[in-house]
Amino acid sequence: MQDMGIEVLFQGRNFVRLLEGLWVTVRISVFSVIVSILLGIILGMIMTMKNPLLRIITRCYLEFVRIMPQLVLLFLVYFGLTKMFRINLSGEISAIIVFVIWGTAEMGDLVRGALTSIPVHQYESGKALGLTTVQNYCYVIIPQTIRRLLPQAINLVTRMIKTTSLIVLIGVVEVVKVGQQIIEASRLTSPSAAVWVYGVIFFLYFIVCYPISILSKRLEVKWRN
Amino acid sequence: MEELSEMKTPGETLVEIKNLNKKFDDTSVLKDISLDIHQGEVVVLLGPSGCGKSTLLRCINGLEKIQGGEIILEGEKLNEQTKRMHLIRQKIGMVFQSYDLFPHMTVLENIILGPRKAEKRAKKEVVKEAEELLQRVGLLDKKNAYPRQLSGGQKQRVAIVRALCMHPKIMLFDEVTAALDPEMVREVLDVMLKLAKDGMTMVIVTHEMQFAKAVADRIIFLDNGIIVEESDPQTFFTNPSTDRAKQFLNLFEFDAI
Ligand SMILES: Nc1ncnc2c1ncn2[C@@H]1O[C@H](COP(=O)(O)OP(=O)(O)O)[C@@H](O)[C@H]1O
Ligand SMILES: [Mg+2]
């Protein structure tokens, strides 16, 4: 008999389950990304300050997060916090904490880079016009920063979405995990299901990430004019 | 360019600079500068590169911390720290050498930003004024262009309009034509001459000697952070009293071969 792995996708609630798994992925990513962007902007602004103590602290934080593989951070928060402080966090909350810690650090560094790439005379022209510091940032500096930041920020967002696949390992049932469960369950009946299931997962990641990069291209073109 | 100097009588003191001292780290850049600028007066600052002209303008606009002395604008002391500094700066227009328009805004948006946000004026009225000013410098048709679509001379004229739209009490110009191609210098200088004629108080740093002669009520010659000579343009250009000024002026002369 011909092996129709594709049928596995339409058996029972399999496809819906994959979508539910995707929703977990998207939920964690979107929440982490939004919080990371907001905190990252603040962190980036702090990183451009001249205060040496703040510089050292933010630098250490950034290096620490960069050196640690995300998986280790996930284990550290999920298992470590539970063991050490008897705080019981769900896998999803742990994942969000880790992604926010990581995303904020990376975003902060991108914001710092973008802010320092704005020429000094832009700050001074705003000041010379009589804008307050806050107005200067709101109308002159930040809009230009965002335009410079956007391509790298989008890259970070898609990386964060993809890295959520690691959270399987702390027991969160997201899209990849659902896929594995489906493959397991149909191992005997359709051995080639894996190809189809992973194919669909590939496609699902694609439809999440592709619009984001389209949007970023649109904005880049719009802002160039 | 016509001579304007004879027609004016000095008005009240607008800016008082008393014993100004400015250091970068340990090097003194401005040493004990005292200078009064009167209402409606056009002061041209001359001097060799690195003598502190830009720094002096930046001090007047409160962009630099000063280490001694004081700068008083209309009776109010400038102070980098004060919360009111942005309000004081609204009375001072400044145009820099580097084109400093905001690249993400159109010409019109550039001009109305300050009046709208810093002064909270009504949009309609500000746009109307901006358009009138653009008309005066011959750039009304560029109001919706972005800075990178403009030539250097056009950018500088817009920068001047942007500063003017804030109704400043005084305008500071720091070598605004130094980065321009020669054929664009004139269009910018003409705008400044017109302003002078309309009675704007101005402090101008320039290397255009003909222009300096035509526009100035008073020439201040700075060297090494010190005011070396101070006189009316006629005297300064024909009969400078110091050797340093003579040497400096010689740099702009060519001997026939
Ligand atoms: N931000 C700065 N830090 C250190 N030194 C500076 C700075 N700005 C200017 N200087 C120094 O101060 C002196 C005066 O500079 P400036 O006012 O720009 O001269 P000018 O405009 O007359 O050419 C120069 O020796 C210059 O090197
Ligand atoms: Mg200079």
Side-chain angles (χ1 to χ4, degrees):
Chain A
M1 197 188 89
Q2 201 185 357
D3 174 24
M4 297 291 281
I6 192 171
E7 281 169 1
V8 169
L9 292 173
F10 304 106
Q11 276 162 14
R13 292 183 66 253
N14 278 357
F15 195 73
V16 177
R17 282 175 61 205
L18 275 177
L19 287 181
E20 283 167 358
L22 181 71
W23 171 237
V24 174
T25 299
V26 168
R27 193 166 64 199
I28 293 175
S29 313
V30 167
F31 190 81
S32 312
V33 162
I34 291 173
V35 177
S36 297
I37 287 176
L38 294 178
L39 293 180
I41 289 172
I42 296 170
L43 178 69
M45 288 169 79
I46 292 173
M47 288 170 93
T48 59
M49 288 180 182
K50 293 202 178 70
N51 186 323
L53 185 65
L54 284 176
R55 279 204 167 181
I56 292 171
I57 294 172
T58 51
R59 201 70 226 170
C60 287
Y61 166 51
L62 180 64
E63 291 304 327
F64 173 78
V65 174
R66 286 232 170 118
I67 290 166
M68 284 289 191
Q70 282 89 44
L71 187 59
V72 176
L73 282 177
L74 277 172
F75 284 161
L76 213 60
V77 170
Y78 185 63
F79 298 114
L81 285 183
T82 316
K83 286 267 158 55
M84 300 235 317
F85 304 106
R86 310 207 166 281
I87 307 169
N88 238 324
L89 295 174
S90 73
E92 200 169 323
I93 297 290
S94 307
I96 288 175
I97 292 175
V98 168
F99 281 105
V100 166
I101 290 175
W102 172 46
T104 302
E106 294 284 356
M107 189 67 193
D109 199 40
L110 294 180
V111 169
R112 182 200 55 77
L115 280 174
T116 47
S117 75
I118 307 284
V120 184
H121 61 77
Q122 287 287 315
Y123 288 84
E124 292 187 338
S125 308
K127 249 189 182 180
L129 271 183
L131 298 176
T132 61
T133 309
V134 173
Q135 288 171 336
N136 205 5
Y137 269 93
C138 284
Y139 303 113
V140 179
I141 305 304
I142 291 178
Q144 291 185 61
T145 309
I146 290 174
R147 286 159 167 78
R148 286 174 194 226
L149 195 59
L150 196 81
Q152 297 143 301
I154 296 288
N155 183 296
L156 176 63
V157 168
T158 49
R159 263 197 305 152
M160 283 175 78
I161 293 173
K162 286 183 282 191
T163 312
T164 51
S165 55
L166 287 180
I167 61 182
V168 179
L169 298 167
I170 56 169
V172 180
V173 182
E174 44 68 84
V175 63
V176 174
K177 182 70 187 173
V178 173
Q180 286 171 348
Q181 287 170 348
I182 293 172
I183 293 164
E184 291 286 313
S186 54
R187 172 137 296 163
L188 295 176
T189 49
S190 10
S192 71
V195 179
W196 290 100
V197 171
Y198 282 123
V200 167
I201 291 173
F202 165 83
F203 183 69
L204 291 178
Y205 273 113
F206 179 78
I207 56 175
V208 171
C209 292
Y210 188 63
I212 299 176
S213 72
I214 289 288
L215 177 72
S216 107
K217 287 224 180 68
R218 284 263 167 84
L219 287 176
E220 268 183 74
V221 170
K222 184 179 160 208
W223 285 339
R224 207 174 307 136
N225 293 317
Chain B
M1 302 183 200
E2 333 155 32
E3 301 282 335
L4 299 157
S5 28
E6 294 90 346
M7 297 150 43
K8 278 187 198 161
T9 47
E12 292 169 41
T13 305
L14 189 67
V15 179
E16 271 176 85
I17 301 172
K18 292 187 200 159
N19 307 102
L20 170 63
N21 277 290
K22 166 72 198 167
K23 290 180 184 164
F24 287 110
D25 299 322
D26 284 335
T27 35
S28 265
V29 172
L30 296 174
K31 302 161 194 162
D32 224 22
I33 301 273
S34 292
L35 174 67
D36 286 355
I37 300 160
H38 305 103
Q39 188 79 51
E41 190 182 25
V42 178
V43 175
V44 172
L45 280 180
L46 299 179
S49 172
C51 70
K53 304 178 297 292
S54 299
T55 307
L56 180 54
L57 288 191
R58 293 166 57 81
C59 288
I60 297 176
N61 204 6
L63 289 173
E64 298 283 353
K65 261 200 196 102
I66 61 178
Q67 279 71 43
E70 51 188 16
I71 301 173
I72 298 163
L73 174 70
E74 288 194 312
E76 185 166 16
K77 197 176 150 182
L78 265 73
N79 178 348
E80 237 267 307
Q81 306 306 329
T82 177
K83 286 264 187 307
R84 286 179 42 77
M85 195 56 224
H86 71 279
L87 296 176
I88 302 175
R89 283 207 193 92
Q90 290 172 16
K91 300 188 196 172
I92 308 169
M94 180 150 179
V95 185
F96 302 80
Q97 171 182 345
S98 54
Y99 314 129
D100 54 353
L101 297 178
F102 307 129
H104 60 297
M105 296 181 185
T106 63
V107 165
L108 194 63
E109 287 165 347
N110 261 281
I111 298 170
I112 67 175
L113 178 71
R116 291 277 295 129
K117 303 303 174 187
E119 295 185 318
K120 310 257 184 286
R121 281 155 60 191
K123 182 164 183 185
K124 225 172 141 183
E125 171 238 343
V126 178
V127 169
K128 186 162 168 273
E129 181 176 2
E131 288 177 347
E132 282 164 11
L133 287 168
L134 279 174
Q135 175 88 57
R136 271 175 53 190
V137 300
L139 288 175
L140 187 54
D141 57 328
K142 297 285 185 201
K143 69 175 179 179
N144 293 318
Y146 281 88
R148 73 196 141 63
Q149 298 166 316
L150 304 180
S151 71
Q154 292 171 331
K155 282 186 218 176
Q156 289 301 57
R157 283 185 278 160
V158 172
I160 293 173
V161 166
R162 182 174 70 178
L164 283 178
C165 208
M166 296 288 289
H167 304 156
K169 294 282 162 55
I170 181 168
M171 288 280 287
L172 312 175
F173 296 89
D174 191 0
E175 299 195 38
V176 292
T177 59
L180 297 180
D181 291 337
E183 72 270 21
M184 290 169 187
V185 169
R186 184 63 193 244
E187 65 192 43
V188 176
L189 296 183
D190 279 341
V191 170
M192 291 164 71
L193 268 176
K194 221 191 279 179
L195 268 180
K197 223 181 273 181
D198 293 346
M200 175 60 78
T201 313
M202 315 205 276
V203 182
I204 301 171
V205 174
T206 183
H207 284 297
E208 303 286 337
M209 291 303 139
Q210 292 304 316
F211 169 69
K213 205 186 278 183
V215 80
D217 297 313
R218 185 156 49 124
I219 302 277
I220 307 279
F221 179 67
L222 268 183
D223 190 27
N224 233 328
I226 298 168
I227 296 183
V228 178
E229 192 159 338
E230 185 176 349
S231 51
D232 64 276
Q234 197 64 29
T235 316
F236 182 81
F237 285 104
T238 53
N239 192 17
S241 53
T242 59
D243 286 343
R244 282 301 292 129
K246 275 176 205 154
Q247 276 171 19
F248 174 76
L249 287 173
N250 274 337
L251 294 176
F252 297 89
E253 301 288 334
F254 292 92
D255 293 326
I257 302 170

